[in-house]
Amino acid sequence: MKYLLISLFSIFLSGCLTTVVPAKSEYRIKPDIEAVENKSDNCKTKSLKIAQAFSSSTLMSNHMMYSIGELKQYAYTESLWAENPNTIITSSILKLMRDTHVFKSVQMSKSRSRSDFILEINIEDFMQYFDEASLHSQASISMTLTLIDIKSNRVVSTKTFDAIVDVQDLNAQGGVKGLKEALNIILKDVNTWIIGVCK
């Protein structure tokens, strides 16, 4: 009886030690808009640098956050960003600026090359929101872009862009889809804005 109990305890213990922990899902956002190219020559001889976006520390993390009601904020336990939202937005705007061909060249701010303008990005919101009952959800993005003349330190233009999209699936994957759609809307508006600035 003693040996039987030891054997059963050993089997139980080994089962506990080999419990499989579910892997966390990693999500990424890759915008799929087609940039409208600039037809004006006003900025064709100018160069632009894209500054790393300013944002809260939560948007510089790979934790995927969501909000319930007006006061509560949480992180999904089994879902992460493959790239943090700050990096997603900075790289998306860099690609957009290159695809529009508004400027002669577009570089990241770490580039040693000289440039005529710098584009600053301030991210105010990048979040999935649920109502108090968790029956409805929306994805919200808000950011302000400021184009600065480097030689004079003069603000050429600044504009805030907002997009709110209803989320169909009330989970992390639904939130990612909603944030992607909201980012597509904002990038289209940014495209129109930067072309207008250089007319």
Side-chain angles (χ1 to χ4, degrees):
M1 190 67 177
K2 176 181 172 182
Y3 292 113
L4 179 62
L5 288 174
I6 291 172
S7 298
L8 290 173
F9 181 74
S10 298
I11 293 169
F12 174 75
L13 186 60
S14 65
C16 290
L17 293 176
T18 58
T19 299
V20 177
V21 177
K24 292 189 177 184
S25 300
E26 291 192 355
Y27 292 94
R28 63 188 180 92
I29 291 180
K30 185 178 179 184
D32 50 14
I33 71 160
E34 285 189 23
V36 176
E37 293 193 26
N38 180 39
K39 296 181 180 179
S40 172
D41 293 329
N42 289 349
C43 295
K44 291 284 188 182
T45 60
K46 305 294 183 180
S47 56
L48 173 71
K49 281 189 179 179
I50 308 293
Q52 184 68 35
F54 300 106
S55 68
S56 65
S57 58
T58 56
L59 297 182
M60 300 180 77
S61 164
N62 287 66
H63 294 294
M64 189 178 292
M65 309 301 293
Y66 65 96
S67 176
I68 296 180
E70 296 183 1
L71 303 176
K72 300 173 185 176
Q73 182 170 303
Y74 304 93
Y76 280 109
T77 56
E78 295 180 9
S79 301
L80 294 170
W81 290 114
E83 288 184 311
N84 64 62
N86 186 293
T87 301
I88 291 169
I89 289 176
T90 303
S91 59
S92 296
I93 290 179
L94 173 69
K95 183 180 185 305
L96 175 71
M97 291 297 161
R98 285 177 174 166
D99 290 349
T100 56
H101 298 107
V102 171
F103 300 94
K104 178 178 67 175
S105 66
V106 179
Q107 307 295 333
M108 285 297 294
S109 58
K110 292 181 180 180
S111 170
R112 294 184 179 181
S113 63
R114 292 183 178 180
S115 62
D116 301 292
F117 299 101
I118 188 163
L119 184 66
E120 292 185 348
I121 307 161
N122 187 32
I123 308 169
E124 286 99 30
D125 195 16
F126 190 95
M127 181 82 70
Q128 180 183 8
Y129 290 90
F130 290 87
D131 62 3
E132 288 285 359
S134 297
L135 297 176
H136 302 283
S137 179
Q138 292 182 319
S140 172
I141 302 179
S142 178
M143 69 181 82
T144 300
L145 270 59
T146 304
L147 185 67
I148 299 171
D149 185 315
I150 291 179
K151 291 179 183 177
S152 65
N153 285 326
R154 181 179 63 89
V155 173
V156 177
S157 181
T158 185
K159 186 173 175 62
T160 298
F161 301 89
D162 301 290
I164 298 175
V165 173
D166 288 330
V167 172
Q168 301 303 315
D169 299 318
L170 304 181
N171 52 30
Q173 184 169 326
V176 173
K177 289 178 181 177
L179 287 167
K180 177 181 177 179
E181 186 179 342
L183 184 56
N184 283 339
I185 292 168
I186 284 180
L187 290 176
K188 287 179 182 178
D189 292 342
V190 170
N191 193 164
T192 302
W193 169 71
I194 199 66
I195 289 175
V197 168
C198 282
K199 277 188 177 178

